Amino acid sequence: MASTYCVSFRLANKRLNGKTYDERRQQLIDNIHTKGCGYWDETTSFFLITSDLSTDAFASKACKGLSADEDMLFVFDPSDMSACYFGAVEYPDVLRSFFQRLKKTA
Protein backbone atom coordinates (compact mmCIF):
# COMPACT_ATOMS: atom_id res chain seq x y z
CA MET A 1 0.00 0.00 0.00
CA ALA A 2 1.40 3.39 -0.96
CA SER A 3 2.06 6.06 1.62
CA THR A 4 1.88 9.79 1.06
CA TYR A 5 4.99 11.71 2.06
CA CYS A 6 5.56 15.40 2.63
CA VAL A 7 9.09 16.38 1.64
CA SER A 8 10.62 19.72 2.56
CA PHE A 9 14.18 20.62 1.69
CA ARG A 10 16.80 23.33 1.50
CA LEU A 11 19.70 22.97 -0.91
CA ALA A 12 22.78 25.17 -0.68
CA ASN A 13 23.00 27.48 -3.68
CA LYS A 14 26.53 26.45 -4.59
CA ARG A 15 28.48 23.65 -6.24
CA LEU A 16 28.91 20.70 -3.86
CA ASN A 17 30.51 17.35 -4.64
CA GLY A 18 30.87 18.55 -8.24
CA LYS A 19 27.12 19.26 -8.64
CA THR A 20 25.32 22.57 -8.97
CA TYR A 21 22.16 23.48 -7.06
CA ASP A 22 20.07 22.63 -10.15
CA GLU A 23 21.80 19.27 -10.59
CA ARG A 24 21.26 18.37 -6.92
CA ARG A 25 17.61 19.45 -7.09
CA GLN A 26 17.09 17.29 -10.18
CA GLN A 27 18.86 14.40 -8.41
CA LEU A 28 16.41 14.78 -5.52
CA ILE A 29 13.45 14.71 -7.93
CA ASP A 30 14.87 11.65 -9.69
CA ASN A 31 15.37 9.97 -6.30
CA ILE A 32 11.79 10.46 -5.11
CA HIS A 33 9.59 10.49 -8.21
CA THR A 34 8.33 7.14 -9.43
CA LYS A 35 6.36 7.09 -12.66
CA GLY A 36 2.74 6.25 -11.98
CA CYS A 37 2.86 7.42 -8.36
CA GLY A 38 1.52 10.71 -7.03
CA TYR A 39 3.82 13.71 -7.34
CA TRP A 40 3.22 17.43 -6.72
CA ASP A 41 5.99 20.06 -6.75
CA GLU A 42 4.49 23.48 -7.51
CA THR A 43 6.18 25.19 -4.56
CA THR A 44 9.89 25.95 -4.35
CA SER A 45 11.03 23.42 -1.75
CA PHE A 46 8.13 21.13 -0.87
CA PHE A 47 6.85 17.95 -2.55
CA LEU A 48 3.90 15.64 -2.00
CA ILE A 49 4.83 12.12 -3.08
CA THR A 50 3.32 8.65 -2.94
CA SER A 51 5.63 5.68 -2.52
CA ASP A 52 5.52 2.02 -1.55
CA LEU A 53 8.70 2.50 0.52
CA SER A 54 8.76 2.87 4.32
CA THR A 55 9.51 6.33 5.70
CA ASP A 56 13.11 5.33 6.50
CA ALA A 57 13.73 3.77 3.09
CA PHE A 58 12.09 6.67 1.27
CA ALA A 59 14.19 9.25 3.14
CA SER A 60 17.40 7.28 2.55
CA LYS A 61 16.67 7.11 -1.16
CA ALA A 62 15.69 10.79 -1.30
CA CYS A 63 18.93 12.15 0.18
CA LYS A 64 21.34 10.30 -2.13
CA GLY A 65 23.61 12.84 -3.81
CA LEU A 66 22.92 15.61 -1.27
CA SER A 67 25.50 17.15 1.05
CA ALA A 68 25.07 16.32 4.76
CA ASP A 69 27.05 19.47 5.62
CA GLU A 70 25.21 21.97 3.42
CA ASP A 71 21.81 20.57 2.37
CA MET A 72 18.76 19.66 4.44
CA LEU A 73 15.86 17.28 3.83
CA PHE A 74 12.82 16.50 5.98
CA VAL A 75 10.28 13.76 5.19
CA PHE A 76 7.14 12.80 7.07
CA ASP A 77 4.15 10.55 6.60
CA PRO A 78 1.04 12.40 7.82
CA SER A 79 -0.88 9.15 8.32
CA ASP A 80 1.39 7.82 11.09
CA MET A 81 3.61 10.88 11.76
CA SER A 82 6.80 8.90 11.12
CA ALA A 83 9.55 11.30 10.09
CA CYS A 84 13.20 11.45 9.02
CA TYR A 85 15.66 14.25 8.52
CA PHE A 86 19.00 14.55 6.74
CA GLY A 87 21.75 17.10 6.77
CA ALA A 88 22.18 20.53 8.27
CA VAL A 89 19.21 20.60 10.67
CA GLU A 90 20.19 23.11 13.35
CA TYR A 91 17.40 22.32 15.84
CA PRO A 92 16.50 18.62 15.65
CA ASP A 93 15.12 18.77 19.21
CA VAL A 94 12.52 21.33 18.12
CA LEU A 95 11.63 19.18 15.10
CA ARG A 96 11.34 16.16 17.42
CA SER A 97 8.85 18.10 19.57
CA PHE A 98 6.46 17.89 16.61
CA PHE A 99 7.46 14.39 15.46
CA GLN A 100 8.21 12.04 18.37
CA ARG A 101 9.16 9.22 15.94
CA LEU A 102 11.79 11.40 14.21
CA LYS A 103 14.93 9.62 12.98
CA LYS A 104 18.13 10.95 11.46
CA THR A 105 18.92 9.56 8.00
CA ALA A 106 22.56 9.00 7.12
Side-chain angles (χ1 to χ4, degrees), residues 4-6 12 19 26 32 46 48 54-55 60 67 69 79 83-87 96-97 103:
T4 297
Y5 293 107
C6 300
K19 294 183 180 180
Q26 187 59 53
I32 63 176
F46 179 84
L48 290 173
S54 69
T55 304
S60 292
S67 168
D69 295 327
S79 70
C84 294
Y85 73 95
F86 168 83
R96 184 168 277 105
S97 74
K103 294 181 182 178

Short mmCIF file of all heavy atoms in Angstrom, two decimals, residues 4-6 12 19 26 32 46 48 54-55 60 67 69 79 83-87 96-97 103:
data_model
loop_
_atom_site.label_atom_id
_atom_site.label_comp_id
_atom_site.label_asym_id
_atom_site.label_seq_id
_atom_site.Cartn_x
_atom_site.Cartn_y
_atom_site.Cartn_z
N THR A 4 1.67 8.43 1.53
CA THR A 4 1.88 9.79 1.06
C THR A 4 2.94 10.43 1.94
O THR A 4 2.85 10.35 3.17
CB THR A 4 0.58 10.61 1.12
OG1 THR A 4 -0.38 10.00 0.25
CG2 THR A 4 0.81 12.05 0.71
N TYR A 5 3.92 11.05 1.32
CA TYR A 5 4.99 11.71 2.06
C TYR A 5 5.02 13.19 1.74
O TYR A 5 4.83 13.59 0.60
CB TYR A 5 6.36 11.10 1.72
CG TYR A 5 6.49 9.70 2.21
CD1 TYR A 5 6.47 8.62 1.34
CD2 TYR A 5 6.60 9.44 3.57
CE1 TYR A 5 6.56 7.32 1.80
CE2 TYR A 5 6.70 8.14 4.05
CZ TYR A 5 6.68 7.09 3.16
OH TYR A 5 6.76 5.81 3.62
N CYS A 6 5.28 13.98 2.77
CA CYS A 6 5.56 15.40 2.63
C CYS A 6 7.07 15.53 2.70
O CYS A 6 7.69 15.02 3.63
CB CYS A 6 4.92 16.19 3.76
SG CYS A 6 3.13 16.02 3.84
N ALA A 12 21.84 24.06 -0.61
CA ALA A 12 22.78 25.17 -0.68
C ALA A 12 22.92 25.62 -2.13
O ALA A 12 23.03 24.80 -3.03
CB ALA A 12 24.13 24.75 -0.12
N LYS A 19 28.46 19.04 -8.08
CA LYS A 19 27.12 19.26 -8.64
C LYS A 19 26.60 20.63 -8.26
O LYS A 19 26.74 21.08 -7.12
CB LYS A 19 26.15 18.19 -8.15
CG LYS A 19 26.46 16.80 -8.65
CD LYS A 19 25.42 15.82 -8.19
CE LYS A 19 25.74 14.42 -8.69
NZ LYS A 19 24.74 13.46 -8.25
N GLN A 26 17.57 18.30 -9.24
CA GLN A 26 17.09 17.29 -10.18
C GLN A 26 17.38 15.89 -9.66
O GLN A 26 16.55 14.98 -9.81
CB GLN A 26 17.71 17.48 -11.57
CG GLN A 26 17.13 16.56 -12.62
CD GLN A 26 15.62 16.75 -12.78
OE1 GLN A 26 15.13 17.86 -12.99
NE2 GLN A 26 14.85 15.66 -12.65
N ILE A 32 13.09 10.64 -5.76
CA ILE A 32 11.79 10.46 -5.11
C ILE A 32 10.62 10.22 -6.04
O ILE A 32 9.60 9.68 -5.62
CB ILE A 32 11.45 11.64 -4.16
CG1 ILE A 32 11.31 12.94 -4.93
CG2 ILE A 32 12.48 11.75 -3.05
CD1 ILE A 32 10.88 14.12 -4.09
N PHE A 46 9.05 22.05 -1.53
CA PHE A 46 8.13 21.13 -0.87
C PHE A 46 7.50 20.23 -1.93
O PHE A 46 7.07 20.71 -2.98
CB PHE A 46 7.03 21.92 -0.15
CG PHE A 46 6.03 21.05 0.55
CD1 PHE A 46 6.28 20.58 1.82
CD2 PHE A 46 4.82 20.72 -0.06
CE1 PHE A 46 5.35 19.78 2.48
CE2 PHE A 46 3.89 19.93 0.59
CZ PHE A 46 4.16 19.46 1.86
N LEU A 48 4.79 16.70 -2.46
CA LEU A 48 3.90 15.64 -2.00
C LEU A 48 4.14 14.46 -2.91
O LEU A 48 4.10 14.59 -4.14
CB LEU A 48 2.43 16.05 -2.06
CG LEU A 48 1.99 17.11 -1.05
CD1 LEU A 48 0.56 17.56 -1.34
CD2 LEU A 48 2.10 16.59 0.37
N SER A 54 8.95 2.40 2.94
CA SER A 54 8.76 2.87 4.32
C SER A 54 9.32 4.28 4.44
O SER A 54 10.10 4.73 3.57
CB SER A 54 9.47 1.94 5.30
OG SER A 54 10.88 2.07 5.14
N THR A 55 9.00 4.97 5.50
CA THR A 55 9.51 6.33 5.70
C THR A 55 11.04 6.33 5.70
O THR A 55 11.67 7.16 5.04
CB THR A 55 8.97 6.93 7.01
OG1 THR A 55 7.54 6.88 6.98
CG2 THR A 55 9.41 8.37 7.19
N SER A 60 16.05 7.69 2.95
CA SER A 60 17.40 7.28 2.55
C SER A 60 17.59 7.41 1.05
O SER A 60 18.63 7.89 0.57
CB SER A 60 17.68 5.85 2.98
OG SER A 60 17.76 5.76 4.37
N SER A 67 24.39 16.91 0.13
CA SER A 67 25.50 17.15 1.05
C SER A 67 24.98 17.20 2.49
O SER A 67 24.15 18.07 2.82
CB SER A 67 26.18 18.48 0.72
OG SER A 67 27.05 18.86 1.75
N ASP A 69 26.55 18.26 4.98
CA ASP A 69 27.05 19.47 5.62
C ASP A 69 26.32 20.74 5.18
O ASP A 69 26.25 21.70 5.93
CB ASP A 69 28.54 19.66 5.34
CG ASP A 69 29.39 18.58 5.96
OD1 ASP A 69 29.02 18.08 7.04
OD2 ASP A 69 30.42 18.22 5.36
N SER A 79 0.05 10.16 7.81
CA SER A 79 -0.88 9.15 8.32
C SER A 79 -0.43 8.53 9.63
O SER A 79 -1.25 8.19 10.48
CB SER A 79 -1.12 8.05 7.27
OG SER A 79 0.04 7.25 7.12
N ALA A 83 8.81 10.21 10.71
CA ALA A 83 9.55 11.30 10.09
C ALA A 83 11.05 11.02 10.11
O ALA A 83 11.55 10.35 11.02
CB ALA A 83 9.26 12.61 10.81
N CYS A 84 11.75 11.56 9.11
CA CYS A 84 13.20 11.45 9.02
C CYS A 84 13.76 12.79 8.55
O CYS A 84 13.12 13.50 7.78
CB CYS A 84 13.61 10.39 8.00
SG CYS A 84 13.17 8.71 8.45
N TYR A 85 14.97 13.07 9.01
CA TYR A 85 15.66 14.25 8.52
C TYR A 85 17.08 13.89 8.12
O TYR A 85 17.64 12.90 8.57
CB TYR A 85 15.65 15.39 9.54
CG TYR A 85 16.56 15.19 10.73
CD1 TYR A 85 17.84 15.72 10.75
CD2 TYR A 85 16.13 14.50 11.86
CE1 TYR A 85 18.68 15.54 11.84
CE2 TYR A 85 16.96 14.32 12.95
CZ TYR A 85 18.23 14.85 12.94
OH TYR A 85 19.05 14.68 14.03
N PHE A 86 17.64 14.74 7.25
CA PHE A 86 19.00 14.55 6.74
C PHE A 86 19.68 15.90 6.69
O PHE A 86 19.06 16.90 6.34
CB PHE A 86 18.93 13.95 5.33
CG PHE A 86 20.24 13.97 4.60
CD1 PHE A 86 21.19 12.99 4.81
CD2 PHE A 86 20.53 14.99 3.71
CE1 PHE A 86 22.41 13.01 4.15
CE2 PHE A 86 21.74 15.02 3.02
CZ PHE A 86 22.69 14.03 3.25
N GLY A 87 20.94 15.92 7.03
CA GLY A 87 21.75 17.10 6.77
C GLY A 87 21.78 18.13 7.86
O GLY A 87 21.71 17.82 9.05
N ARG A 96 11.81 17.34 16.69
CA ARG A 96 11.34 16.16 17.42
C ARG A 96 10.13 16.49 18.31
O ARG A 96 9.30 15.63 18.58
CB ARG A 96 12.47 15.56 18.24
CG ARG A 96 12.06 14.26 18.95
CD ARG A 96 13.22 13.48 19.55
NE ARG A 96 13.83 12.67 18.50
CZ ARG A 96 14.99 12.92 17.90
NH1 ARG A 96 15.70 13.96 18.25
NH2 ARG A 96 15.46 12.14 16.96
N SER A 97 10.00 17.72 18.75
CA SER A 97 8.85 18.10 19.57
C SER A 97 7.54 17.99 18.79
O SER A 97 6.48 17.82 19.37
CB SER A 97 9.02 19.51 20.16
OG SER A 97 8.84 20.51 19.19
N LYS A 103 13.64 10.31 13.09
CA LYS A 103 14.93 9.62 12.98
C LYS A 103 15.85 10.43 12.06
O LYS A 103 15.39 11.07 11.13
CB LYS A 103 14.75 8.23 12.37
CG LYS A 103 13.98 7.27 13.22
CD LYS A 103 13.89 5.92 12.53
CE LYS A 103 13.08 4.96 13.36
NZ LYS A 103 12.95 3.66 12.67
#
